[in-house]
Amino acid sequence: MLTRLDRAIASVSPRWAVRRALDRVRLSQLERTAPRSGRRYSDAGANFDINTGNPDDARSRRLVNRETVLRLACENPHGKKALNALVNNAVGWGITGSPKGPKALAALWKEWTRVSDFRGRLDLFGQQELAVRTMFREGEVFIVRRFVKNDQSGVPLRLQLLDGGMLATSKVGDDIEDGIEYDADGNPVAYWFHQARPDYRRNRPPVRFAAGDVIHLFIQEEVGQKRGRSVYEPVIKRLGDVDDALDADLVRRKIESCFVGFRTLPVDETGDPPIGIGREDRGEGLAPSEYFEAGSIVTLPMGEDIKFGDPKPLGGLGDAVKINLLAAAAGIGVTYEHMTGDLSNVNFSSYRAGALEFDATIERIQWNTIIPVGLNRVWDWFCAAAYEFGRTSKRSYEMRWTPPPRKSIDRKGDAEADILEMQAGLENRRNLLNSRGIEHDTFVEETAADLRVQQEKGLFFKGDPFTAAQAAGTTPDIGSTK
């Protein structure tokens, strides 16, 4: 809040008013993060060593606002590349679902995935990408269950995606915090959202959605955590320092390319330059400026001197930038190569070793957050809507989710390892197909149909499970029950 003194200063000098406000914010942050005596650290007046019964007392406050995170994700190239790496590996082209039930259910689900967006722009896979991108970038995303009229897909269910900026945080109440309404046990019972962005809100009041109609998707890292945290929060200052260092080096190089000269004129007894010295008049109160032309030879009058700017290069800039980018990649949760695209200092083995740890992180997020918190609840909504509108005979069906496959660096080596594991009984074909983003039952049906057509056409390939002679002899036709 601006005080009367702040408003008075702003009316005279807006620049000083902004500096006062920024200094006040920095001081507030320092007070919250400054260490106390001994091992106790204060945050909002509570000590970590004292159990008050409130988990928020031992949890750090959010010091980074949403606008700063959005600006970083849009303007910082390394931050944007790291975000793309997370999204590409977490959802890729989309986590596909295979319903376990009648074929009509699978057809109904496939048709609905094309029209799942409440805004009518994306399909379900596009919504997955947008939701996960928002979750990584801002820390959280809200998926709201909506229904539409005049539906052509058979299931009028739609999904609307909202970010944290749409929460009605100004909604005041004893049981409402940051636009989320809680019961006596601390469980969310409703969410309050604005109807439009700030520029279009005008006098529209916030809308209340029951918790059963909202999926609050975020990666929970602490017991009792209520809101998600952006992957950029640990590294915003570090990435800003990298940008500042690179900008400073670029300015230095621009100054070097300008070949700037500083001219010193002799003065007489009155302190003024002698009359008759050639110079360009740049206006009253401005110092003169001289220019060089190609091939020119300039003779300076007696007593004049000229010096050229010589900005010194900053030593170790590359190493400093790399160290900061390594730390930033670790804070975001990606490898240095994913964040920068720099593969100059890695070999095949080291790259695969780093990719294994990154893959483990992505799989944890997929199977502990995206699928159980997000996609399973979407499937429950779909089954309930299909049953209530008379499209299915049961209220619930089983769903098998298949994330997109990991790109293989050594396809031949990986394939040989898969074959050896299947031969030793350590792996089966269904699991291997699912790990590659392929649904097993659909693959088997398509393979059988392809082999049947090939046999009818007299086509036989080296990779087929039978030879031409076997097919013409005792080997039964593909799909035969004998």
Side-chain angles (χ1 to χ4, degrees), residues 293-450:
E293 295 181 358
S296 64
I297 300 177
V298 179
T299 301
L300 296 176
M302 292 294 293
E304 286 194 24
D305 186 21
I306 185 169
K307 297 179 181 180
F308 294 95
D310 185 20
K312 303 298 182 183
L314 301 177
L317 175 64
D319 293 338
V321 169
K322 184 174 182 179
I323 291 173
N324 279 277
L325 289 178
L326 283 169
I332 293 177
V334 299
T335 65
Y336 171 80
E337 291 74 26
H338 279 129
M339 187 171 184
T340 64
D342 180 13
L343 303 177
S344 59
N345 295 320
V346 297
N347 53 36
F348 180 78
S349 299
S350 62
Y351 185 81
R352 290 198 65 179
L356 289 176
E357 179 68 21
F358 178 69
D359 290 346
T361 300
I362 291 298
E363 290 174 355
R364 170 176 57 81
I365 295 173
Q366 288 174 337
W367 294 104
N368 291 348
T369 300
I370 298 176
I371 291 176
V373 180
L375 294 179
N376 280 347
R377 286 195 61 189
V378 169
W379 172 246
D380 292 341
W381 287 349
F382 174 83
C383 290
Y387 177 78
E388 292 171 358
F389 285 90
R391 301 305 304 270
T392 58
S393 58
K394 293 173 57 178
R395 180 173 287 273
S396 64
Y397 293 89
E398 181 182 355
M399 168 65 81
R400 186 183 184 95
W401 299 103
T402 304
R406 296 281 180 268
K407 298 297 182 181
S408 175
I409 302 175
D410 181 13
R411 296 183 60 186
K412 180 179 179 181
D414 293 340
E416 292 175 348
D418 292 341
I419 294 173
L420 291 176
E421 289 184 350
M422 285 193 297
Q423 292 175 347
L426 302 176
E427 189 56 277
N428 60 65
R429 187 180 300 272
R430 182 182 294 273
N431 287 339
L432 290 176
L433 289 174
N434 289 334
S435 67
R436 297 186 178 188
I438 303 174
E439 205 282 318
H440 174 268
D441 296 340
T442 302
F443 176 81
V444 171
E445 294 177 0
E446 292 177 352
T447 302
D450 291 343

